[in-house]
Amino acid sequence: MIKTKFDYNKYLRKNTLPHIWCPGCGDGIILKALLRAIDKSGYSKDEVVITSGIGCASRLPGYVDFNTIHTTHGRALTFAIGIKMYKPRLKVITISGDGDALAIGGNHFIHAARRNIDLTLIVFNNYTYGMTGGQYSPTQPLDSYSTTTPFGNIEPPFDVCNLAQAAGATWVGRSTSYHAVQLEKFMVDALNHTGFSVLDVITNCHISYGRRNKMKSPVEMIKYQKEKAVPARSAENMTPEDLAGRFKTGILFEKKDMPEFCGEYYKKLETIKIK
Amino acid sequence: MTKNIKLMQGNEAIAEGAVIAGCDFFAGYPITPSSEVAEILSSKLPKIGRVFLQMEDEIAALGAVLGAALGGAKAITASSGPGISLKQEHIGYASMCEIPCVIINVMRGGPSTGLPTLPAQGDVMQAKWGTHGDHAIIAITPSSVNESLYETIRAFNLAVKYRTPVLILTDEIIGHMREKVVIPDKNDVEIIDVKLPGVPPEKYNPYNYTSGKVTPLAPMGEGYRYHVTGLIHGETGFPSQKTDVIQNAQNWLMDKIYKNIKDIEKFEEFQIEDADILLVAYGSTSRSSRQAIRMARSAGIKAGMFRPITIWPFPDEQVSKLSKKIKKILVPEMNMGQIIFEVQRNACGSSVYGLNVVSGEPITPDQIYEKIKEISKT
């Protein structure tokens, strides 16, 4: 089968390259998948808004030719909600790291999910604060090491997907930067979903995380993603012991036709508008 | 023509002024004593097809306001002391990225939760210095309900014109007091609207640091694709670490406000022509000051008042000019002394006295009159 080569240049702001990501970083794979997914979803560049917080992943918007807002640490979803509510015709995507989305931005995360507002949040989950040198994040596995858990992590991590679902998100999925094809497919699905969609993408920071946890090369970390990922369907027949140290991938939760906040707001306006 | 006169609360007048100014987006978080602004707009804005949001916290409220403003909204939020402390992160972002917005601060006193239900003017310096890094800010201190309405309209105009956050600092007295308001017809007040830039998208730069003119902020989603970041950025909007770009960007944030101070400043002078004692008072404190001046004058003491309506940037030139001829200056404030430092900085050899009441009670005309008498004897 001959595939037509995807023209990434159509969406890249080449004058802002090279990017800041380290050689071997998984973020570039996610960026490429996102561009293919946006292209497939059929949105024009003018219709797409990308907001991001602070951190390595959050530098993504600077490199892509959409309406892009690199906001404050943890608050990208609040800007996304503002512009989406004001201009509902826009397709709004938020890029966030694990620390950005779930530590400093945790409150905004659960409330965006609770509202089920039509946004797509992509969490670049590398278990660490890479930009600041590898401190432990709220998704870092138990017993692993970081610059601020030199004796091993004793804080249980968040499961991004369980949290999103429990808080009210209506599309929840997980993939990895190893599963590039699946990643693109899930992104298309998330973008096409009406409601709050959360895609947790396990990606590698070999520099800040891997190096301290016996995976110092990108190859080792990509292998980790490949080996530890368990498709949701296979996980059904596995014991908790089998699943220990691994993570489920797939579209883990989807509920269609749920009341979506932006749509509900404007529907409500119709009932109260006065001249 | 019959005037449209209403009896209104200060917070209500702010909401009314916002709607007249064309405000089409509010996001906030409940906090005393500003909650009425949110409550009133939660009814007014949906009725005209606009957006009202109650967010999960103060930070999110201003985040949503800025997101909407980037989409072209005339957006507003309202809060008070502790809420404004939380909002400082995004006040800095709005300054840095030059995003217009109006922030109402019905001020409180004391650090932390402080005095939620009692009058104070605790946030004047917070308004200027609250967020980190150098930036200029516009802040307005109305002293009546009527002025609250008109100054809210002016705040929106200044925000759009200078692409900056504009703060309105009132206090519990102005916010909750009911007074006569003359509601203007939309056609009788100046309203500056958000516009598309006058250049095609391929020629549009979201920033301009050197021409001296403020580039209009193109509403997102209208074909002008650009990048916004809180990092120091060049005129294209992309981050830069070039020393000349950094210097220009930093200068610009100050210059665009300070070089246009004549357009931004607004003040009132009351009986200063022959005054021997000058009161510099703002907000509700200026009301007691006015009465105290009348009392002083009937007792033969010539007092007058300079009342900044735009308090930031501070009217350095006026205060400095006045202090050349009036050698005694009194600054009554419902805080431990904040604007007094600005007055001292500008006072050319005058003696500057403070009258600071932080008991949760308004400063009374009697208290100010007593202080005037005391000063007159020195």
Side-chain angles (χ1 to χ4, degrees), chain A residues 13 16 46 59 62 65 68-70 72 75 78-79 82-83 86-87 89 107-108 111 115 265-266 269 272 274, chain B residues 24 46 50-52 54 56-57 59-60 63-64 67 71 73 89-90 93 220-222 225-229:
Chain A
R13 286 168 168 157
T16 66
D46 287 330
R59 288 300 185 95
D65 187 16
T68 54
I69 318 173
H70 177 221
T72 49
R75 325 289 178 206
T78 69
F79 285 71
I83 197 161
Y86 188 66
K87 280 190 171 163
R89 66 180 164 87
N107 200 26
H108 312 309
H111 285 275
R115 292 183 179 103
Y265 183 86
Y266 281 92
L269 287 194
I272 53 181
I274 56 158
Chain B
D24 47 12
R50 306 306 187 191
V51 181
F52 171 89
Q54 182 171 307
E56 57 271 20
D57 62 34
I59 304 170
E89 175 187 22
H90 281 161
Y93 189 86
M220 283 190 168
E222 307 298 331
R225 294 189 305 277
Y226 58 93
H227 186 56
V228 178
T229 175

Side-chain angles (χ1 to χ4, degrees), chain A residues 162-178:
Chain A
N162 287 349
L163 181 62
Q165 184 185 338
T170 48
W171 190 102
V172 178
R174 183 184 289 118
S175 185
T176 80
S177 55
Y178 165 74

Side-chain angles (χ1 to χ4, degrees), chain A residues 78-154:
Chain A
T78 69
F79 285 71
I81 288 172
I83 197 161
K84 180 68 187 176
M85 289 301 290
Y86 188 66
K87 280 190 171 163
R89 66 180 164 87
L90 298 176
K91 185 70 198 173
V92 186
I93 302 164
T94 295
I95 304 295
S96 195
D98 39 304
D100 193 59
L102 295 148
I104 194 163
N107 200 26
H108 312 309
F109 178 93
I110 56 173
H111 285 275
R114 176 178 64 83
R115 292 183 179 103
N116 190 34
I117 183 166
D118 188 23
L119 305 170
T120 297
L121 169 68
I122 301 172
V123 182
F124 288 44
N125 186 353
N126 60 8
Y127 307 157
T128 191
Y129 289 87
M131 189 172 261
T132 47
Q135 298 78 18
Y136 73 101
S137 92
T139 59
Q140 186 174 310
L142 270 173
D143 302 324
S144 59
Y145 296 91
S146 74
T147 54
T148 46
T149 47
F151 311 112
N153 179 26
I154 58 166

